[in-house]
Amino acid sequence: MWDEIAVETPTDELPVPRPEVLAAIDALAARGVLSSLASRSAPTVLDRMDAVPGLRERFLAPQVSWQDKSESLRRIAKDLGIAVEALVLIDDSPYERAEVEALLPGVRTLDPGEVPALLAAFEDREVTPESRERVRRYRTEETRRAEGERFQGTREEFLRWCDMRLTVGPAVAEEVPRALELAARTHRLNSSGLTPDRLRALAAADGHELYTARMSDRFGEYGIIGAALVDRTARGSWSVPLLALSCRVAGRGAAAAFLFWLMERARESGAEDFRVTLRPTDANLEMRILLRQAGLRRTEADDSADGSTAGDDGAVLARTLDSGGGGGGLPKPPAWLHVFTRKDADA
């Protein structure tokens, strides 16, 4: 951030930040890349940053303490609700980079001199509206978390107070890039890890439909937080090669509500059974539990030509959609989450 050492300045004023560093942070933010701080320094440095207009607000979940940077990165990932492996550490100290490489081998580390190449790598990538809004939405999430900590009541009461709304419907053309992004970026709430290229091809194929889910609450818009590809080529059956949701909505019932909406729509269309492709990973345990709670069980299925079944050590989970369904009817979304079909929400 600067050439001097903040805690060694003779006054309370911070050293002047390097303009090229601030420019890089802003350029990455415009492409949906979040910035944080992992600084081995006195915690008071963070307080002093608040006095510099426009500086503190560039960073989400900053960690300023005397702890090892590997521990700071773990805390940043936890606060943001993302995988540690999604982080990149930029540090001018070979020692600090080595410490993180040794303890967090999934984290990429860079010398500041490599930042221009990092920026160049994003130049040709498509930037979705959700990407451009990602920093602001994570800031809104910080507000939600703070309000939740202050709320006097149960977790369910807080969720009801948030007035959360999920709007689901067929994807329109401008939503497809975000669906591809969810397929590539999500891990915790991703059923199959279908690649963006494969998703794009299947979504354009006959008999397939792409659905998206948007979410909002009293704090603001989450944007498009879910995508599902439905294969209706088999008579009497709905097959879902991909169900993916943003980790930002984990623990709020959105994944369950989206899944249950799809199941109900399948039954209304006359389908007799409902199938989801699942490829178990170390990260998607939450999705696996959800599918089981929804009554889906593993079934034997051969790989199909369109790739809609699992293969590659995956599985197809299925359940019938009659009133019994093997489990007393279709499940309902959480009581605190209001679910709308897009045409209803637009009415």
Side-chain angles (χ1 to χ4, degrees):
M1 282 293 297
W2 37 61
D3 295 319
E4 303 168 66
I5 298 175
V7 294
E8 294 181 0
T9 55
T11 68
D12 285 340
E13 292 186 5
L14 291 173
V16 177
R18 297 170 179 162
E20 67 273 16
V21 173
L22 298 182
I25 291 170
D26 294 341
L28 290 169
R31 292 166 171 78
V33 180
L34 313 178
S35 289
S36 186
L37 288 173
S39 177
R40 283 169 53 87
S41 188
T44 55
V45 169
L46 193 57
D47 297 329
R48 291 156 66 185
M49 288 180 65
D50 289 332
V52 181
L55 183 58
R56 169 67 176 83
E57 65 190 32
R58 283 180 164 92
F59 303 101
L60 293 158
Q63 298 295 317
V64 181
S65 70
W66 297 115
Q67 65 189 355
D68 290 339
K69 292 202 175 182
S70 58
E71 182 58 30
S72 292
L73 294 183
R74 289 191 183 96
R75 294 190 179 188
I76 290 169
K78 181 179 179 180
D79 287 351
L80 294 179
I82 62 178
V84 173
E85 291 76 15
L87 300 175
V88 175
L89 174 69
I90 301 172
D91 202 297
D92 59 3
S93 168
Y95 169 83
E96 301 292 1
R97 296 198 301 271
E99 189 265 337
V100 168
E101 290 166 2
L103 296 180
L104 300 175
V107 174
R108 183 182 176 187
T109 66
L110 299 176
D111 179 90
E114 298 175 275
V115 169
L118 176 65
L119 293 173
F122 284 90
E123 287 182 356
D124 296 329
R125 296 191 183 185
E126 183 173 15
V127 181
T128 66
E130 278 70 22
S131 292
R132 287 191 290 269
E133 289 288 301
R134 186 168 289 125
V135 174
R136 183 185 63 80
R137 285 179 173 149
Y138 268 91
R139 289 222 169 280
T140 303
E141 185 58 30
E142 288 183 333
T143 302
R144 287 189 187 95
R145 185 166 54 248
E147 287 293 336
E149 292 172 353
R150 287 192 291 265
F151 189 82
Q152 299 296 314
T154 65
R155 171 69 174 170
E156 182 171 339
E157 289 171 339
F158 173 70
L159 293 173
R160 286 178 181 272
W161 177 78
C162 286
D163 190 25
M164 291 186 291
R165 297 168 178 265
L166 189 74
T167 303
V168 187
V172 295
E174 57 266 28
E175 293 176 336
V176 173
R178 173 57 177 165
L180 301 178
E181 188 177 54
L182 284 167
R185 294 175 61 97
T186 59
H187 302 285
R188 287 175 61 184
L189 294 170
N190 189 315
S191 67
S192 67
L194 199 67
T195 66
D197 287 345
R198 189 63 179 144
L199 175 59
R200 188 191 297 273
L202 289 174
D206 290 342
H208 291 72
E209 296 175 326
L210 183 64
Y211 291 88
T212 56
R214 290 179 175 270
M215 191 164 163
S216 65
D217 63 13
R218 66 168 58 244
F219 299 100
E221 296 283 339
Y222 290 78
I224 298 175
I225 51 82
L229 178 68
V230 173
D231 175 359
R232 301 180 63 179
T233 56
R235 184 179 179 85
S237 177
W238 269 38
S239 178
V240 181
L242 174 76
L243 177 64
L245 291 100
S246 168
C247 62
R248 290 188 293 117
V249 297
R252 290 166 210 189
F258 192 15
L259 173 63
F260 302 161
W261 184 94
L262 291 167
M263 294 171 70
E264 182 62 41
R265 187 174 179 89
R267 182 167 67 175
E268 290 174 353
S269 73
E272 298 175 355
D273 65 51
F274 185 87
R275 298 165 179 263
V276 176
T277 301
L278 173 67
R279 289 188 178 88
T281 68
D282 292 340
N284 70 358
L285 176 61
E286 192 172 346
M287 175 62 77
R288 285 181 274 156
I289 292 174
L290 170 61
L291 296 176
R292 189 164 187 84
Q293 289 174 338
L296 283 90
R297 298 293 183 266
R298 183 164 185 158
T299 183
E300 296 298 328
D302 296 327
D303 289 343
S304 65
D306 70 357
S308 61
T309 58
D312 299 332
D313 299 323
V316 173
L317 306 187
R319 65 162 288 171
T320 58
L321 293 174
D322 58 25
S323 59
L330 295 183
K332 300 298 181 183
W336 61 79
L337 186 57
H338 308 287
V339 182
F340 302 91
T341 300
R342 183 168 296 146
K343 61 182 180 180
D344 296 334
D346 293 340

